[in-house]
Amino acid sequence: MFGLRHLYFSLAKLPINWLVRIKAIPEQPKESLNIDLEKPVYYVMRTRATSSFIMLEQQCKKLGLPEPKYINSTQDDIPNGAVFFIQHKQIFGRRPSTIKKYFDRLQALLKQHEHNQDHPQILPVSIYWGRNPGREKSLLRLLLTDTESATPLRKLLILLFQGRNSFMRFGKPLKLNLLDQHSNLEHKARKITRTLRVYFHRQWIAAMGPLVANRKQVITSLLANDTVIESIKREQKKKNISYEKARKNALKYADEIAANYSYKTIRFMSSILSWVWNKMYGGIKVFNAERVRELANDHEIVYVPCHRSHIDYLLLSYVLYYEGLMTPHIAAGINLNFWPIGGILRRAGAFFIRRSFSGNRLYTAVFNAYFHHLMDKGIPVEFFPEGGRSRTGRLLQPKTGMMGMMVQNFMKGCRKPIMIVPVYIGYERMMEGKSYIKEMQGGKKKKESMGQLLKVRNQLKQRYGKVYVNFAEPINLEQWLDSNVDDWKASNPDERPTWLSEKVLALGEQCMTHINQSAIVNSVNLTSLVLLSTQRRTLGKRELINQIEWYISLLKSTPNCGDMYISNDNAASVVEEAKSLGAVQEFNNPLGNLCQISEQAAVLLTYYRNNIMHLIAIPALIASCFRQRLSLQRAELIANCKAVYPLLKRELFIKYSDEELSNVINHYIQEFGNNKLLTISEDEILRPNINSDEYSQLILLADTLKETLERYGITLTLLATHAGQSAISRSQLENQSQKLAQRISALYNIYAPESFDKSLFQQIVGTLRRNKFIENGSDGDLIIHGSIPDLQHLIMSMLSHSTQESMLKTARWAIARWREGSA
């Protein structure tokens, strides 16, 4: 009997080895799932099949897991690595008695470990032969889509067409010691079997998604939506047109918006993108994917990634696909709907959205109905809360449109609870680098077109380092609403609640904060952070390595650092990596080699520096307090940092609350003391000797925040000048701040285009208003409170004398010109 089985398996392995290429998820299940190999491990698969067992055997050998073993009915003990199955094939398959055998052996396993303390682990294993969920009302899906219950003929077809696109998912181990110890063995076995059946079903849905609906049927159902019908009638009355013409407008909007999801396109794109990534990038590093796999079982997932490159659209879907999860439907800007990209993206799950709804209530109603359709069907959705790509490397302030729609659609009711998953995407180098430099220097953004697409082939000849994708801490929407909105369930879901705008903005800001908590620190942004803080973007190589070591130490000590990762914690290796990517140049010098960022590269490298500016902002703020002070009392130091922190918190999306800040500052003070950058004498904090290396390190750290503090100083100087003398409106303040910053940047050779980014000045003014430093007057002019000069004086004291002098001199000149112009 053993000889026949061995021969059968040997013959079966030949076509499987030839036809099948399978990927394990997660790639290192021992570490990711905390599988303890010192304790017995037993495997459970959904359906008994020779091909499934062979693939399990191969993967376990590769991954260092216990060897899978078929269970012999005559064995007294169940061996480590035994494989159980919980269902039988329905057609031309095995008899139900086969599964009863496994149920009986499961009881035997429970009895075997009833009084043992070794806590055996039952490891569920799912195999997906392909990833096609199939279309609704399609006969073809019965033959070619994924199933472990296939008859031999169907399985052969599946292996032929899907064998090289297969995945094996190892689930979190089920521990027998967690079962009710007072139940009998049969009851425990039934409970395990029921739990695993539900588990396998949910895993299938998470990986495949629901059946794909016919696009025409989706569009027809949108036009039958009650809210859309009401909007059509309103359009008819408002424009004095026939109902049919108004309905055609709605049909045009629905056709413009709706995706046309195609599994063939997904497979084709996955192959193309695998080639592109290998050609351009040195690897895609993914963090915390297991977190999302667990959530996808019983939640509607809404991905909210940061937006830095057009590649983001493709990258996140690619990563999710190869992590065994359904690719999301993506809200894409209408600017990408050009031939041929628009059609490809639409079939890959993109649905298109206009930049502005411009009061178009019919378009709004159709889009809202489509968005609710996706969420109600359990289709994962992705949108970019920033609304557009960041040109500065900082996260942009979140737009509230899509976020508000998500909240309102959730209030209308969805089949599953919504889990928002913020996603950090970081690049060591970006394809759009040169175009971003032009745009940051005032150039006009080029419209996406086929011509631009053809230029991409030139990008394929270059190397762009690694890409990092980190799934941040999720936000349960219902729990967030319970904590932040009083009695939200009493709101009418068909009407816009009065609290929506304010609370959705707060939710968006929390999403951005979670993204920043999950930043990946790489060699390019770390070296840029140091060298761009020096006067001539140049530093001795030894000094550069020492400063990077100090920053890495600070980052590792960050309180409650969340999901932040450092890609390389060896400072010397960080510098070499940055050199290999062209971010840093090294020059020989008799007194020691020098590292430099060229003038041409400096503007772009501010982008990468800004990716992690928020991680070092509080230590840099502490260091800035000692620029002009020999010593500070601890209480005064904390008070100074707290006064400036609200501006930093909102601009850089730093996670610490005002209540947490004192402890965080005290933590960093201790770190500074441990590294001799500050001396702690009871409640007095002293800076190092001005001639020491420690002082140079302290001021270099302070200089990372110099341009940010200058920006605050510009706005506060204008406010302090106008206080009690002349009126100024909010728009005037923002415009004058931007123009003054542009002049200072040009005069004093500042290589940071975001220094005069108008949106950042709008942010500063908004934060000052939120914190009651200024108010909107009834006549449109700002009411400036007396605390503004104090805050301005504090921030100016954190800048060098030369910086203060140049800023005040330019400000006086500009204000005089503006007053002459108004006179």
Side-chain angles (χ1 to χ4, degrees):
M1 185 70 178
F2 175 78
L4 288 174
R5 176 177 291 178
H6 181 74
L7 177 63
Y8 169 69
F9 272 94
S10 298
L11 293 173
K13 285 179 182 178
L14 294 175
I16 290 174
N17 289 339
W18 179 56
L19 293 172
V20 177
R21 292 291 181 273
I22 203 160
K23 172 182 168 63
I25 300 173
E27 292 184 352
Q28 301 295 332
K30 282 191 296 186
E31 293 78 10
S32 299
L33 302 175
N34 296 318
I35 299 171
D36 187 352
L37 298 185
E38 298 296 318
K39 298 171 183 175
V41 175
Y42 304 98
Y43 305 101
V44 180
M45 305 186 81
R46 190 174 63 180
T47 306
R48 176 168 173 165
T50 301
S51 56
S52 297
F53 184 87
I54 290 171
M55 296 315 302
L56 177 63
E57 193 175 46
Q58 289 181 357
Q59 287 298 310
C60 289
K61 184 176 181 180
K62 184 190 298 183
L63 298 168
L65 293 170
E67 179 188 355
K69 301 179 180 69
Y70 260 125
I71 300 175
N72 191 327
S73 302
T74 60
Q75 286 177 296
D76 293 329
D77 291 331
I78 310 296
N80 184 31
V83 183
F84 294 83
F85 303 92
I86 62 170
Q87 72 181 43
H88 62 281
K89 298 177 183 178
Q90 302 297 320
I91 305 173
F92 306 119
R94 300 181 180 278
R95 298 188 302 275
S97 59
T98 303
I99 299 308
K100 185 178 184 306
K101 179 192 83 172
Y102 286 106
F103 183 76
D104 292 340
R105 302 310 291 159
L106 180 57
Q107 291 184 67
L109 174 67
L110 293 170
K111 185 175 182 180
Q112 179 177 315
H113 291 282
E114 193 169 17
H115 302 294
N116 293 350
Q117 299 299 315
D118 49 8
H119 302 318
Q121 305 152 101
I122 293 182
L123 192 64
V125 182
S126 305
I127 294 185
Y128 304 102
W129 303 101
R131 297 284 298 284
N132 187 1
R135 289 192 173 270
E136 292 178 353
K137 302 178 182 178
S138 169
L139 293 176
L140 189 62
R141 72 182 176 88
L142 296 176
L143 291 176
L144 298 179
T145 58
D146 172 84
T147 175
E148 286 185 82
S149 303
T151 60
L153 177 60
R154 285 175 63 200
K155 181 57 70 71
L156 179 60
L157 289 172
I158 289 168
L159 292 181
L160 282 170
F161 289 99
Q162 308 279 21
R164 292 180 179 270
N165 187 38
S166 302
F167 297 79
M168 179 176 291
R169 166 78 190 272
F170 291 90
K172 190 172 288 187
L174 174 65
K175 296 181 180 179
L176 299 183
N177 63 309
L178 299 179
L179 295 171
D180 181 5
Q181 300 303 315
H182 300 292
S183 303
N184 59 42
L185 295 177
E186 183 179 356
H187 178 80
K188 289 180 182 178
R190 291 195 185 283
K191 184 175 181 179
I192 291 173
T193 303
R194 283 196 301 269
T195 300
L196 289 168
R197 282 200 180 106
V198 171
Y199 170 85
F200 284 126
H201 174 71
R202 288 179 174 175
Q203 286 295 309
W204 194 91
I205 294 295
M208 302 290 183
L211 298 178
V212 180
N214 181 282
R215 185 171 186 266
K216 289 184 179 179
Q217 291 175 344
V218 171
I219 291 174
T220 301
S221 70
L222 293 180
L223 298 185
N225 180 277
D226 291 341
T227 305
V228 174
I229 290 172
E230 287 179 17
S231 295
I232 291 172
K233 291 177 179 176
R234 192 184 301 113
E235 181 92 345
Q236 176 192 7
K237 186 176 179 180
K238 179 182 176 182
K239 295 187 176 179
N240 195 23
I241 56 178
S242 68
Y243 181 84
E244 273 307 309
K245 189 168 183 180
R247 190 177 185 278
K248 280 184 180 179
N249 288 341
L251 178 62
K252 182 184 74 172
Y253 294 149
D255 187 58
E256 177 188 297
I257 293 165
N260 188 23
Y261 186 88
S262 162
Y263 173 67
K264 290 180 182 177
T265 302
I266 296 294
R267 280 208 56 191
F268 170 76
M269 291 296 291
S270 72
S271 301
I272 293 294
L273 290 176
S274 291
W275 177 79
V276 170
W277 303 150
N278 288 330
K279 191 84 173 170
M280 294 173 59
Y281 296 111
I284 300 173
K285 302 293 183 183
V286 182
F287 303 87
N288 294 314
E290 186 61 31
R291 164 186 281 168
V292 186
R293 281 195 287 267
E294 291 298 320
L295 293 174
N297 293 341
D298 44 20
H299 291 86
E300 162 69 8
I301 303 293
V302 177
Y303 298 98
V304 287
C306 59
H307 198 10
R308 297 201 163 116
S309 167
H310 278 316
I311 294 294
D312 299 341
Y313 288 99
L314 305 171
L315 178 68
L316 184 54
S317 292
Y318 177 86
V319 165
L320 291 168
Y321 183 82
Y322 279 99
E323 290 294 336
L325 291 160
M326 181 189 177
T327 56
H329 279 44
I330 308 165
I334 196 69
N335 57 307
L336 292 177
N337 191 18
F338 63 91
W339 185 87
I341 288 298
I344 295 172
L345 292 179
R346 199 184 289 277
R347 286 189 288 275
F351 58 98
F352 292 99
I353 180 172
R354 296 181 178 183
R355 291 294 182 190
S356 171
F357 291 9
S358 301
N360 188 335
R361 297 179 69 179
L362 180 57
Y363 179 86
T364 303
V366 174
F367 187 88
N368 226 333
Y370 181 72
F371 196 32
H372 186 264
H373 158 78
L374 295 178
M375 295 173 68
D376 192 52
K377 286 277 289 182
I379 298 170
V381 174
E382 173 191 338
F383 65 85
F384 297 98
E386 296 166 280
R389 290 170 292 154
S390 169
R391 265 67 174 183
T392 66
R394 300 171 188 266
L395 295 183
L396 305 177
Q397 286 296 308
K399 301 288 191 296
T400 57
M402 289 290 291
M403 199 76 73
M405 287 184 183
M406 176 189 67
V407 172
Q408 283 192 281
N409 280 308
F410 171 70
M411 291 169 62
K412 289 178 183 177
C414 294
R415 297 182 189 181
K416 295 179 180 179
I418 291 178
M419 194 66 76
I420 304 169
V421 179
V423 186
Y424 176 90
I425 301 175
Y427 301 85
E428 288 184 332
R429 285 185 63 204
M430 288 192 316
M431 288 177 60
E432 295 96 333
K434 290 182 180 178
S435 66
Y436 279 5
I437 291 176
K438 291 177 183 177
E439 289 176 38
M440 286 191 288
Q441 292 176 330
K444 189 175 180 182
K445 175 184 177 292
K446 290 185 179 180
K447 186 178 179 181
E448 288 76 8
S449 65
M450 184 61 186
Q452 275 192 293
L453 180 64
L454 292 174
K455 293 178 183 178
V456 170
R457 69 182 187 275
N458 296 324
Q459 310 286 349
L460 297 177
K461 300 173 184 178
Q462 302 182 42
R463 300 294 291 180
Y464 292 90
K466 296 184 181 67
V467 185
Y468 302 92
V469 177
N470 193 359
F471 295 96
E473 180 186 352
I475 300 169
N476 184 302
L477 181 56
E478 184 172 13
Q479 291 177 7
W480 191 91
L481 289 171
D482 286 340
S483 301
N484 292 274
V485 184
D486 294 333
D487 205 21
W488 65 271
K489 292 180 181 176
S491 301
N492 184 347
D494 295 321
E495 296 179 1
R496 185 179 177 85
T498 55
W499 50 262
L500 189 67
S501 295
E502 178 189 350
K503 296 302 180 182
V504 163
L505 179 59
L507 177 58
E509 288 178 348
Q510 185 165 339
C511 288
M512 307 311 279
T513 302
H514 282 212
I515 290 171
N516 263 354
Q517 280 180 242
S518 304
I520 309 298
V521 181
N522 64 54
S523 59
V524 175
N525 51 40
L526 201 48
T527 50
S528 301
L529 189 68
V530 177
L531 289 175
L532 288 171
S533 301
T534 62
Q535 193 169 9
R536 298 178 58 83
R537 309 172 310 284
T538 306
L539 198 63
K541 185 175 182 180
R542 173 41 51 195
E543 289 83 355
L544 174 61
I545 290 172
N546 289 343
Q547 194 74 7
I548 289 174
E549 282 179 349
W550 161 228
Y551 286 179
I552 289 172
S553 173
L554 270 180
L555 292 169
K556 285 184 173 181
S557 75
T558 302
N560 305 317
C561 62
D563 297 310
M564 181 267 293
Y565 288 90
I566 302 171
S567 65
N568 185 347
D569 61 2
N570 182 294
S573 177
V574 164
V575 173
E576 293 306 314
E577 278 186 13
K579 282 170 52 185
S580 69
L581 289 165
V584 176
Q585 297 173 336
E586 183 177 349
F587 299 96
N588 292 330
N589 186 280
L591 298 179
N593 285 9
L594 299 172
C595 290
Q596 183 183 66
I597 291 174
S598 69
E599 185 173 338
Q600 184 180 7
V603 175
L604 181 58
L605 289 176
T606 62
Y607 187 100
Y608 302 109
R609 173 200 66 185
N610 290 346
N611 289 174
I612 62 166
M613 176 72 79
H614 60 283
L615 297 174
I616 211 80
I618 295 178
L621 181 61
I622 294 169
S624 298
C625 291
F626 290 92
R627 190 185 292 277
Q628 296 188 37
R629 298 286 296 271
L630 296 175
S631 67
L632 282 165
Q633 293 295 308
R634 183 184 293 266
E636 185 183 2
L637 175 58
I638 292 173
N640 289 349
C641 291
K642 280 189 168 183
V644 181
Y645 180 68
L647 292 164
L648 286 174
K649 177 180 171 64
R650 189 166 184 225
E651 178 179 330
L652 300 177
F653 299 104
I654 304 174
K655 68 176 180 175
Y656 302 114
S657 66
D658 294 340
E659 293 75 21
E660 295 173 308
L661 189 58
S662 294
N663 289 335
V664 173
I665 293 169
N666 279 319
H667 165 82
Y668 281 122
I669 290 172
Q670 190 60 50
E671 286 295 315
F672 278 59
N674 293 342
N675 288 273
K676 299 181 180 178
L677 270 75
L678 290 175
T679 302
I680 304 169
S681 177
E682 296 184 356
D683 283 336
E684 188 178 23
I685 316 293
L686 298 93
R687 77 181 188 191
N689 185 289
I690 195 169
N691 297 314
S692 66
D693 291 340
E694 288 79 10
Y695 176 80
S696 298
Q697 281 190 286
L698 185 72
I699 295 305
L700 188 54
L701 174 59
D703 281 340
T704 61
L705 209 57
K706 175 185 163 187
E707 290 154 8
T708 303
L709 294 175
E710 284 178 2
R711 200 163 51 249
Y712 300 159
I714 287 169
T715 300
L716 290 165
T717 297
L718 290 173
L719 282 170
T721 303
H722 283 282
Q725 296 184 29
S726 58
I728 186 170
S729 69
R730 178 169 181 169
S731 61
Q732 284 178 317
L733 176 62
E734 291 165 356
N735 287 330
Q736 289 183 9
S737 296
Q738 183 192 27
K739 289 174 181 176
L740 185 53
Q742 284 176 323
R743 187 169 182 84
I744 291 172
S745 180
L747 285 172
Y748 300 103
N749 217 23
I750 297 173
Y751 294 91
E754 80 270 9
S755 294
F756 47 85
D757 184 347
K758 187 175 180 179
S759 66
L760 291 179
F761 287 106
Q762 291 171 340
Q763 226 171 275
I764 294 167
V765 176
T767 306
L768 291 171
R769 182 172 171 270
R770 185 185 286 188
N771 287 274
K772 311 298 183 187
F773 285 99
I774 56 177
E775 291 182 54
N776 290 332
S778 57
D779 57 356
D781 291 329
L782 293 172
I783 299 171
I784 304 169
H785 294 295
S787 50
I788 281 287
D790 294 334
L791 182 58
Q792 186 242 4
H793 181 266
L794 172 61
I795 286 179
M796 297 300 275
S797 73
M798 296 179 179
L799 300 170
S800 68
H801 289 295
S802 60
T803 301
Q804 286 185 51
E805 184 180 342
S806 60
M807 184 186 297
L808 292 172
K809 177 182 175 182
T810 310
R812 284 193 299 269
W813 178 87
I815 291 167
R817 290 289 300 270
W818 288 322
R819 285 177 177 169
E820 287 173 11
S822 62

